[in-house]
Amino acid sequence: DSIGGQAKPITFHLEYDGYPVFSPDGKWIAFGSKRYGHFDIFIIPSEGGTPRRLTWHSGHDIPFGWSPDGKKIAGYDQTLKVWDSSTGAELVSGVDAIFKTNPAWNNDGTELTVLGRDGKIRLMDATNGKVLRIIYQFKLEHKFMGVKWGPKGDKIAFRWSNGTVSIKDTKT
């Protein structure tokens, strides 16, 4: 027995399941699974149950975050994508993104920040994939660790691997 009790497995498969992300209401978990030879996105009730496959692509689909209303899931194959969380329909295919750099939804789910391979943090329209503007450019040798939106949606905070936290206005 471990400290705090035992963890309850909710997926059971010989292939790799990973990248779990809770839905905003906590009722679902999206995850990536290699059970069909490449990563696809599945969702499963957070208490366990039968996983439901959302994507069937030949690339690796990895979930990174649900929209605030829980209706969409942002993630990557080779670019940033947004899928419908009920049907798995691809709604948006966006900018070329650095793998494992979590896109961040703004508070109303209309915009995402994404880090491009060129070191630019872009603000993207989450409904059509259009890049609205470049928010910040950083040197590629710096290790960027992710973005969080402020409560009013007008600022983002981001973290570097050296422990520095920066803040940036999203409107300018």
Side-chain angles (χ1 to χ4, degrees), residues 148-159:
K148 298 292 182 187
W149 282 82
K152 295 180 183 175
D154 61 343
K155 293 184 179 17
I156 57 168
F158 47 97
R159 180 173 69 93

Side-chain angles (χ1 to χ4, degrees), residues 29-33 38-43 52-57 60-64 66 73-76 81 83 88:
I29 296 175
F31 65 97
S33 178
H38 54 273
F39 279 102
D40 284 304
I41 296 176
F42 289 75
I43 61 171
R52 185 164 49 95
R53 189 177 182 183
L54 284 184
T55 64
W56 285 265
H57 300 114
H60 291 295
D61 297 335
I62 307 292
F64 279 105
W66 295 71
I73 297 171
Y76 297 114
K81 293 200 174 183
W83 294 276

Side-chain angles (χ1 to χ4, degrees), residues 75-146:
Y76 297 114
D77 62 4
Q78 294 297 314
T79 65
L80 176 74
K81 293 200 174 183
V82 176
W83 294 276
D84 182 288
S85 64
S86 295
T87 66
E90 185 178 299
L91 303 173
V92 172
S93 183
V95 298
D96 191 20
I98 293 176
F99 186 68
K100 292 189 178 179
T101 301
N102 297 14
W105 293 90
N106 71 346
N107 300 336
D108 66 7
T110 60
E111 298 172 336
L112 284 161
T113 54
V114 61
L115 176 64
R117 293 184 189 276
D118 56 4
K120 294 177 182 174
I121 300 174
R122 291 168 170 82
L123 183 64
M124 189 181 96
D125 185 312
T127 63
N128 62 22
K130 180 181 175 189
V131 174
L132 301 172
R133 69 185 148 281
I134 305 301
I135 296 176
Y136 190 77
Q137 170 75 51
F138 72 95
K139 295 179 182 174
L140 290 177
E141 63 268 13
H142 294 159
K143 292 196 179 193
F144 176 80
M145 304 298 286

